[in-house]
Amino acid sequence: MEITVDLLCELFRYRWSAPILAELGRSRGCKYVTLNHRLGVADGPLRQALDWQIGRGWVVRNPGYGHPSRPEYVLTEEGAILAPRCGATIALLDSIDAGRAGLNRWTVPLVYTLSAGASRFGEIRPALCGISPRALSQSLREVMDADLASRHVAADIPVLVTYALTGTGDRLAGIWV
């Protein structure tokens, strides 16, 4: 499976998608209640993310479910490819205390886009699956606050503002590149 910015936009569409894949990969399948307790997520968002992942083909209901020791949800082959990367992403974000900002819809796709090199606002926006200017602006602020990217202002006329990854941002992008 080729990792693209479009795939990352899909994966991080729901905040709990990456944690679900990581947990299912770590535990080789889970029951709904177990996922709910381990992730500490409310029923609505968990159900929405699981249903979306089932529709996307990353998670399936276990056909052998029914016995108390069998998991209710398991990963498909595609989901099993993404799960270790999701786990590594969550571990890195937790290690730098950026879990909340890091799991926002646009953070990982933005970091992935910036991994190609320093970019201007107008170059980033078309690469990110229809992101609005306001959402991009907010995401750039959050990524900079989490020390995943930096902003460089050149004192030229007109002023040239570029965004580039920091060392931590490079580590996060390296998980997906």
Side-chain angles (χ1 to χ4, degrees):
M1 167 188 306
E2 181 183 354
I3 303 298
T4 64
V5 72
D6 292 338
L7 176 71
L8 292 175
C9 287
E10 283 187 53
L11 174 61
F12 288 93
R13 179 178 183 167
Y14 295 103
R15 174 176 170 65
W16 295 104
S17 289
I20 289 169
L21 289 177
E23 184 59 34
L24 290 176
R26 186 187 66 75
S27 62
R28 297 182 190 195
C30 274
K31 295 182 181 175
Y32 180 86
V33 172
T34 307
L35 274 174
N36 186 293
H37 290 294
R38 286 186 183 161
L39 299 178
V41 59
D43 284 337
L46 179 60
R47 174 63 52 208
Q48 187 178 32
L50 266 173
D51 288 345
W52 183 81
Q53 288 182 343
I54 289 169
R56 182 62 177 83
W58 293 335
V59 174
V60 292
R61 285 183 168 272
N62 188 351
Y65 180 68
H67 188 275
S69 65
R70 292 191 186 119
E72 184 176 0
Y73 295 100
V74 292
L75 296 172
T76 64
E77 286 182 32
E78 280 189 24
I81 293 169
L82 294 172
R85 291 177 175 189
C86 290
T89 298
I90 292 166
L92 176 63
L93 293 171
D94 285 346
S95 74
I96 61 169
D97 259 351
R100 177 147 177 85
L103 291 177
N104 286 345
R105 179 177 183 176
W106 298 109
T107 301
V108 173
L110 176 58
V111 167
Y112 182 84
T113 300
L114 290 174
S115 69
S119 298
R120 298 184 66 174
F121 188 95
E123 297 167 343
I124 298 169
R125 188 166 171 244
L128 288 176
C129 323
I131 189 172
S132 70
R134 182 174 185 260
L136 178 55
S137 194
Q138 182 177 358
S139 295
L140 282 166
R141 259 186 259 115
E142 289 172 352
V143 166
M144 288 184 295
D145 289 345
D147 197 34
L148 297 171
S150 59
R151 181 177 188 248
H152 304 282
V153 180
D156 294 338
I157 296 177
V159 174
L160 176 67
V161 179
T162 57
Y163 300 91
L165 294 179
T166 61
T168 307
D170 278 331
R171 287 185 16 223
L172 178 58
I175 293 170
W176 295 99
V177 173

